[in-house]
Amino acid sequence: MKESLAISLSMTQSRLETQSLLEQIQVQTEELRVTNETLEKQAQSLQVSEENLQVQQEELQVTNEELELQAQSLMKSEEELKKQKDALEAENVKRKEAQKQLEIAVEKANAATKAKSMFLANMSHEIRTPMNGVIGISDIMSQTKLNVEQQGYIKLISTSANNLLTIINDILDFSKIEAGKIEMERIPFSIKTIIEDTADVLQFKAAEQNNEIYTYVDNEIPLSLIGDPVRLQQVIMNLANNAVKFTESGAITISCELQKVTNNKAHLMFKVVDTGIGISEEGQKKLFKSFTQVDASTTRKFGGTGLGLVISKKLIEKMNGAFGVESVAGEGSTFYFTASFNIDKDQIQQKQIEDRNYKELNIMVVDNHEPSQMIFTKYLDAKEAKVVSALGTKQGIELVAEYE
């Protein structure tokens, strides 16, 4: 009995131990399963990481290749830039050398031009003196007893000498301007006197070609201004003389109007208007070129050096003015220029028209020349007179009949 009990107890104990061992094995198996799953997940994660690393490696390789291409491109660009830099430096050296040579050539040309101009300018007295002698002697001889043929010869000598003197004066003035030896005077003068004197000088020449000369000076212009009257009259004379020369059976108007007064300075607009042959648009482009006429036939028919307008333009520029022309071929020309002069404060400014009341006067201006009619009307308008204009006697009589 005891032995059976012992065996039973032993078997029970063995069973319990076996059950416990099975439970342990079960637990270990579970742990191994979990560990295995964890390892599998880690393996998967490692595989993904390896794939990512491979992708990144490929991307880095592509990037590296692109960087190598860019580096090569930059190296080429640097080489090209270096070549361009070398080429520019070589070109710059050439340009500097060329500029230096050009400056030397310009200096030589300027020196030669200045020497030529100074020579001509300094020869003014020597050239003019014999010409004045020829003109003076011919004038004296014209007053002696001569037959008709001799008088013709003397007139031809005098005309030719005066024309030659004009050409000489133009060339000498041009040379002085080019040499920078023209100096502008600053003395008191009257615009009215200059314009009227110019018209008086040209009156006989104009009459020979059946031309009328009219003058107009704005009543608002101060009587005495400060400037160079000789050079100003030279410009006006040149323009007016050209107008007379290129006009037949027509009219020439020399006018000056006040544009404004600022800082004791009068700004004036001068105009010389003619009804002559006019100038084409193509011809106007040649007007201010030295030694150039509008066309060759002009030089043959009317003479001249082609310097008058060039000299006039340069003189006006020295007066801080501007020069211009408006013309239509066959209809006439208008040459105009601006100039500014200081007002002479030391002179008592007098009124150019007598001081009387015109406001109550009824005045009729009758003239068959429209420019002359316009000038008289302007003068009277400035005095606030009541003006009626009639172009010719017939129209004047008709207007008088209407008023009666």
Side-chain angles (χ1 to χ4, degrees), residues 66-337:
E66 290 178 351
L67 288 173
E68 286 180 358
L69 290 173
Q70 290 179 0
Q72 291 175 2
S73 178
L74 285 172
M75 288 178 66
K76 288 182 180 179
S77 298
E78 285 180 0
E79 290 176 359
E80 289 178 359
L81 286 172
K82 187 177 179 182
K83 289 179 182 178
Q84 290 178 0
K85 181 182 177 183
D86 293 341
L88 286 173
E89 287 178 352
E91 183 67 24
N92 192 32
V93 170
K94 289 181 181 179
R95 285 185 179 181
K96 284 183 178 179
E97 183 64 26
Q99 185 177 359
K100 187 176 179 181
Q101 295 297 327
L102 181 61
E103 288 175 355
I104 293 171
V106 168
E107 286 178 4
K108 288 181 179 179
N110 287 338
T113 300
K114 190 173 182 179
K116 176 196 71 177
S117 298
M118 288 183 68
F119 170 76
L120 289 173
N122 291 331
M123 287 294 291
S124 171
H125 177 72
E126 285 74 10
I127 295 174
R128 285 189 175 112
T129 299
M131 288 308 305
N132 287 329
V134 172
I135 294 170
I137 292 299
S138 63
D139 286 342
I140 292 172
M141 289 183 66
S142 66
Q143 297 174 17
T144 61
K145 293 181 179 180
L146 301 171
N147 59 38
V148 175
E149 185 178 3
Q150 290 171 334
Q151 288 177 354
Y153 292 152
I154 290 297
K155 185 178 180 181
L156 181 60
I157 292 172
S158 180
T159 301
S160 299
N162 277 296
N163 289 340
L164 183 56
L165 185 60
T166 299
I167 293 171
I168 291 170
N169 287 337
D170 283 348
I171 293 173
L172 292 173
D173 282 340
F174 181 74
S175 300
K176 283 184 178 180
I177 291 172
E178 291 294 303
K181 296 189 71 173
I182 288 286
E183 294 182 1
M184 309 301 288
E185 283 190 308
R186 290 180 55 81
I187 59 175
F189 71 94
S190 166
I191 293 291
K192 185 179 178 66
T193 300
I194 287 177
I195 288 179
E196 291 183 350
D197 285 352
T198 301
D200 289 342
V201 170
L202 295 173
Q203 194 68 51
F204 292 105
K205 184 178 179 180
E208 288 177 356
Q209 296 183 206
N210 198 28
N211 290 324
E212 295 283 347
I213 294 184
Y214 305 98
T215 63
Y216 171 73
V217 179
D218 192 341
N219 193 47
E220 299 299 320
I221 296 175
L223 183 61
S224 183
L225 301 173
I226 302 295
D228 192 329
V230 175
R231 293 302 180 185
L232 177 60
Q233 186 164 26
Q234 181 179 353
V235 174
I236 297 173
M237 180 67 75
N238 178 265
L239 296 179
N241 187 55
N242 284 345
V244 171
K245 181 169 35 173
F246 295 110
T247 303
E248 290 186 6
S249 302
I252 295 93
T253 303
I254 309 169
S255 67
C256 180
E257 296 188 55
L258 180 68
Q259 291 185 308
K260 60 182 178 179
V261 175
T262 57
N263 300 323
N264 196 47
K265 183 172 285 189
H267 301 269
L268 308 178
M269 169 67 79
F270 296 83
K271 289 183 181 181
V272 176
V273 183
D274 66 66
T275 58
I277 61 175
I279 308 166
S280 66
E281 290 185 10
E282 188 65 29
Q284 291 177 39
K285 297 176 183 177
K286 303 178 183 178
L287 281 177
F288 302 106
K289 293 181 180 179
S290 304
F291 302 102
T292 302
Q293 293 276 17
V294 173
D295 57 53
S297 62
T298 300
T299 306
R300 290 193 299 269
K301 182 176 180 181
F302 299 102
T305 60
L307 287 176
L309 289 176
V310 177
I311 294 169
S312 297
K313 186 172 184 290
K314 289 183 179 292
L315 290 175
I316 291 304
E317 288 171 354
K318 281 188 167 289
M319 299 178 194
N320 299 316
F323 206 100
V325 60
E326 295 175 357
S327 184
V328 177
E331 296 183 12
S333 304
T334 298
F335 284 86
Y336 60 88
F337 64 89

Side-chain angles (χ1 to χ4, degrees), residues 5 13 45 90 114 177 192 242 279 322 349 359 362 368:
L5 184 58
Q13 186 177 1
S45 177
K114 190 173 182 179
I177 291 172
K192 185 179 178 66
N242 284 345
I279 308 166
Q349 299 298 321
K359 293 182 180 180
N362 294 315
N368 57 355

Side-chain angles (χ1 to χ4, degrees), residues 32-43:
L32 285 170
R33 187 183 64 77
V34 171
T35 301
N36 190 36
E37 289 178 355
T38 302
L39 288 172
E40 285 180 358
K41 288 180 178 179
Q42 289 178 352

